Amino acid sequence: MQPVTRRVAVLGATGSIGDSALDVIARHPDRFRATVLSANEKVDDLIELCRRFRPDAAVIADESKFATLRDGLRGAGLATHAHAGTQALSDLAGSDHCDTVIAAIVGAAGLNSTLAAARAGKRILLANKEAVVVAGALLMHEVAAHGAEIVPIDSEHNAIFQCLPHPALGAAARPGVRRLLLTASGGPFRGWDRARLAAVTPEQACAHPNWSMGRKISVDSATLMNKGLEVIEAHWLFAAAPERIEVVVHPQSIVHSLVEYTDGSVLAQLGNPDMRTALAHGLAWPERIEAGVAPLDLTALGRLDFQPPDLTAFPCLDLAFRALRAGPAASTVLNAANEIAVSAFLQRRAAFLAIPDLIAACLDALAAERAESLEELLALDARARQVAEARLAA
């Protein structure tokens, strides 16, 4: 039986996940076609990708660069239609141009397009964990209501997806599942104490030892906030209570996560640290296809190490558990404050150790707020950003 050709929207095409996704798509031209490509502001890179993949539509989130995109596409003789702005992203994610959406836009900016894809019943390859952190209950409701599919493609949740019984979404609440174990590399500062962390620079924080990632997610990995956001995401995707989610530091990034069952069995998904594995899994699921990833050589690796996270040196992970236990509104505050804090650090307006301090202050100020609808969540997100900016300026 000939496989169906999937029409794929790659939202965040110029980032590291977009690059990996397009590599997998290019390996299987008979199965996948990139029909929509988007970028935040890298308009020249987006035009070049359009030359290679010839999508139906291209979107630049920065509306001031629309003319550059439009004229660049015309100058290249492409039939690709130019679009700009966040509304265009959402419209295309929910349109007939695609049946599969790779949600790889960094931060809360990816929320609306992810929701639009869910409401249109798409298969969503979810890399934007912030969409789940900010609006997990709403997103999962829309997925169920409209028959959408989510296949998580960050390595940890994809591993759990593969290790849980199917359907994996919500499966952690079923009898027989004891707990989910998310692995963390420990980032570039594993083993450092707070005194040593005080002088960390953005360049050091962005130099991840195992993964090639964007600057924001690299800093999140360095603070362990990335793992904290993943804890919240695992709660919503798999219906796991906070006390049934554990984080373990695994420096080699070979065991991507594990699921423990009540009979004592522990299932793990292993592989070389390459995002193409999870992307190929999500694109072809439930089939398996070639991803271009080197085979795993366990004898060459020799050992796999595990240790508990240091919550004194890296309190962001503890803050994420605190927010998860406090309720959905607190998770929205956590994410917004973190985005502001990380941006300030990358701009050298705040020290590395100021990141968790700022997040904790915002949680103290706003965690008791209530927000359920999308409008309320977005309003709370905006308030949290204002509080964070005000504290930075103080």
Side-chain angles (χ1 to χ4, degrees):
M1 181 177 176
Q2 189 70 18
V4 175
T5 300
R6 284 196 167 272
R7 293 167 292 119
V8 185
V10 185
L11 306 187
T14 58
S16 60
I17 293 174
D19 182 65
S20 294
L22 290 169
D23 181 86
V24 175
I25 288 169
R27 291 173 185 274
H28 301 276
D30 58 327
R31 297 189 60 130
F32 311 116
R33 179 170 173 255
T35 53
V36 178
L37 300 178
S38 88
N40 182 33
E41 58 182 7
K42 295 179 179 178
V43 66
D44 292 336
D45 291 352
L46 181 59
I47 292 169
E48 181 56 35
L49 288 176
C50 290
R51 289 178 188 269
R52 289 178 54 201
F53 292 94
R54 298 182 177 270
D56 299 336
V59 194
I60 191 77
D62 184 345
E63 296 187 43
S64 70
K65 298 187 177 182
F66 171 73
T68 303
L69 175 61
R70 179 197 61 203
D71 296 345
L73 294 173
R74 287 177 180 173
L78 299 175
T80 303
H81 292 283
H83 302 264
T86 56
Q87 186 58 52
L89 275 170
S90 296
D91 291 344
L92 285 165
S95 75
D96 292 336
H97 283 289
C98 59
D99 50 56
T100 301
V101 174
I102 298 179
I105 296 173
V106 175
L111 173 58
N112 284 331
S113 54
T114 303
L115 285 170
R119 289 166 179 154
K122 310 289 186 181
R123 172 176 289 189
I124 303 168
L125 274 60
L126 187 66
N128 177 266
K129 59 180 61 66
E130 292 88 353
V132 187
V133 172
V134 173
L138 179 61
L139 176 61
M140 299 311 292
H141 170 79
E142 298 292 356
V143 166
H146 299 284
E149 295 179 312
I150 288 183
V151 181
I153 56 168
D154 55 14
S155 62
E156 296 81 4
H157 298 95
N158 184 261
I160 290 171
F161 185 94
Q162 294 190 50
C163 293
L164 281 171
H166 288 292
L169 299 187
R174 292 184 214 153
V177 178
R178 178 174 288 156
R179 59 179 176 157
L180 310 182
L181 295 103
L182 295 167
T183 56
S185 70
F189 309 130
R190 179 175 54 86
W192 290 32
D193 59 21
R194 286 183 63 82
R196 193 177 176 192
L197 290 169
V200 160
T201 67
E203 290 75 21
Q204 290 174 303
C206 290
H208 195 282
N210 299 338
W211 297 94
S212 174
M213 306 182 293
R215 284 165 64 80
K216 193 268 182 183
I217 193 172
S218 294
V219 175
D220 283 347
S221 180
T223 65
L224 290 194
M225 178 55 85
N226 191 47
K227 209 53 48 180
L229 298 177
E230 289 173 6
V231 166
I232 298 171
E233 184 181 3
H235 164 73
W236 289 112
L237 290 178
F238 305 117
E243 62 273 14
R244 295 173 66 190
I245 305 172
E246 186 174 331
V247 172
V248 59
V249 174
H250 169 53
Q252 292 92 350
S253 295
I254 295 297
V255 178
H256 297 300
S257 277
L258 312 94
V259 175
E260 181 182 357
Y261 289 86
T262 52
D263 62 3
S265 299
V266 179
L267 302 187
Q269 187 264 335
L270 286 72
N272 284 315
D274 191 318
M275 282 302 302
R276 291 177 297 175
T277 296
L279 284 156
H281 175 255
L283 284 165
W285 184 79
E287 298 179 58
R288 300 279 182 168
I289 59 172
E290 171 63 42
V293 178
L296 179 62
D297 187 343
L298 288 173
T299 57
L301 184 66
R303 58 184 288 173
L304 299 172
D305 298 303
F306 302 91
Q307 59 195 65
D310 181 351
L311 299 182
T312 300
F314 303 97
C316 282
L317 178 56
D318 202 38
L319 290 171
F321 271 104
R322 170 186 161 188
L324 178 57
R325 294 185 181 100
S331 296
T332 299
V333 173
L334 175 95
N335 181 73
N338 180 63
E339 289 191 16
I340 295 298
V342 170
S343 177
F345 169 69
L346 289 171
Q347 297 170 37
R348 304 181 196 275
R349 295 190 293 128
F352 184 78
L353 290 178
I355 295 173
D357 292 344
L358 182 63
I359 296 166
C362 290
L363 284 173
D364 290 340
L366 296 170
E369 298 273 328
R370 292 187 60 82
E372 297 180 0
S373 69
L374 179 60
E375 293 74 21
E376 290 172 335
L377 289 167
L378 292 176
L380 179 58
D381 176 89
R383 286 201 302 279
R385 291 170 192 273
Q386 289 170 357
V387 169
E389 288 286 8
R391 289 184 178 274
L392 280 170

